């Protein structure tokens, strides 16, 4: 993926800090 | 089903910020039994380091990253938004109400508004260019990705050009809503499919209480 064409918010949304699914992993 | 929680209350140490599941269910997309299942999860998280039945930031980090010391800008923002009372801990009611936004059945506009508050780092009511750049840098740092300064500026410029339609150097809530409607994947992380199956993931609230009673 060419970074310049990336949407910055799209990039940010991949943060592990925003992946609350981890809270549910036993 | 909610009656179990109150009738068997001798088994439940009600912690600070505890709220009745019936009340929380009435204000969120969760059913009473789902709130009870979330109480299981909450108790697990809130006693993982400091056994006081409240989720401290280290406990939140431990649950997210398996590492209580891992600092992360976005996890900090989530924690701060969940900590509605701003007392440094996430109480049970705050936990359920905030997670409610992430429920697959929660209103889309709530998800869009929550994401806006998340990215409005300095709570000015706008997402500013500096904030966006700070978040991009944080993400790159977190991912061990290295991009040149020019590249980073280009990404931020391009996104700002697309989102800041009023061209006033900041993204307001209306611009954010319009931008998300063009790019729905931006709020994909605002929906947790797990929440639809929370009673399957943590099915044991009532069952466990009954088992304990019989022991």
């Amino acid at each position: 993926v060419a970074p310049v064409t990336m949407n910055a918010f799209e990039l940010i949304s991949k943060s592990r800090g925003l992946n609350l699914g981890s809270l549910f992993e036993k | 089903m909610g009656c179990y929680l109150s009738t068997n209350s001798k088994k439940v140490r009600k912690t600070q910020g505890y709220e009745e599941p019936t009340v929380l269910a009435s204000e969120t997309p969760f059913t009473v039994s789902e709130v009870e299942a979330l109480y299981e999860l909450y108790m697990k998280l809130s006693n993982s380091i400091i056994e006081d039945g409240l989720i401290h930031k280290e406990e939140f980090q431990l649950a997210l990253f398996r590492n209580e010391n891992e600092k992360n800008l976005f996890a900090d923002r989530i924690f701060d938004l969940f900590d509605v009372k701003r007392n440094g801990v996430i109480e049970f009611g705050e936990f359920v109400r905030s997670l409610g936004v992430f429920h697959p059945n929660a209103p889309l506009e709530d998800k869009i508004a929550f994401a806006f508050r998340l990215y409005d780092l300095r709570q000015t009511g706008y997402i500013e260019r500096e904030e966006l750049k700070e978040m991009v840098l944080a993400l790159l740092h977190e991912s061990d990705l290295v991009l040149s300064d020019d590249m980073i500026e280009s990404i931020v410029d391009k996104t700002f050009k697309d989102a800041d339609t009023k061209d006033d150097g900041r993204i307001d809530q209306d611009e954010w809503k319009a931008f998300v409607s063009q790019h729905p994947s931006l709020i994909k992380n605002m929906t947790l499919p797990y929440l639809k199956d929370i009673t399957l993931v943590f099915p044991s609230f009532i069952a466990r209480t009954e088992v304990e009673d019989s022991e």
Side-chain angles (χ1 to χ4, degrees), chain A residues 5-15 18, chain B residues 74 102 108 111-116 118-119 127 132 159-160 162-163 171 175-191:
Chain A
T5 65
M6 268 184 200
N7 179 327
F9 288 110
E10 193 84 55
L11 199 60
I12 291 165
S13 71
K14 311 284 186 219
S15 170
L18 298 178
Chain B
F74 302 102
F102 291 79
L108 194 59
K111 295 175 186 289
I112 294 172
F114 192 94
F116 184 86
L118 195 59
Y119 297 149
I127 301 170
L132 185 58
T159 304
F160 234 81
D162 293 344
I171 298 167
E175 289 169 328
W176 175 246
K177 279 182 207 162
F179 194 59
V180 172
S181 71
Q182 287 165 17
H183 306 278
S185 62
L186 292 187
I187 54 157
K188 206 175 155 198
N189 59 358
M190 294 301 303
T191 295

Side-chain angles (χ1 to χ4, degrees), chain A residues 16-17 19-26, chain B residues 41 44-45 48-49 57-71 75 194 202:
Chain A
R16 288 168 60 228
N19 178 18
L20 296 189
S22 315
L23 297 178
F24 302 89
E25 288 166 13
K26 290 201 173 185
Chain B
L41 170 64
K44 179 183 155 226
L45 300 180
S48 64
I49 300 175
K57 188 172 279 184
E58 295 81 358
E59 291 171 323
F60 192 67
Q61 289 169 176
L62 180 63
L64 279 184
F65 306 123
R66 305 286 174 262
N67 178 350
E68 66 189 82
N69 297 315
E70 185 160 338
K71 303 280 178 222
Y194 300 84
F202 290 93

Side-chain angles (χ1 to χ4, degrees), chain B residues 2 4 31-32 36 45-46 49 52 64 72 74 81 87 94 99 101 113 126 132-133 146 157 160 198 212:
Chain B
Y4 278 99
T31 63
V32 171
E36 289 170 347
L45 300 180
S46 64
I49 300 175
D52 62 356
L64 279 184
N72 181 289
F74 302 102
L81 289 182
N87 58 353
E94 294 173 331
L99 274 183
V101 176
Y126 302 94
L132 185 58
K133 186 175 173 184
V146 179
D157 280 347
F160 234 81
I198 190 70
E212 282 176 2

Side-chain angles (χ1 to χ4, degrees), chain B residues 79-90:
Chain B
F79 186 91
D80 289 347
L81 289 182
F82 275 44
D83 174 17
V84 177
K85 290 185 188 164
R86 308 285 302 161
N87 58 353
V89 290
I90 302 172

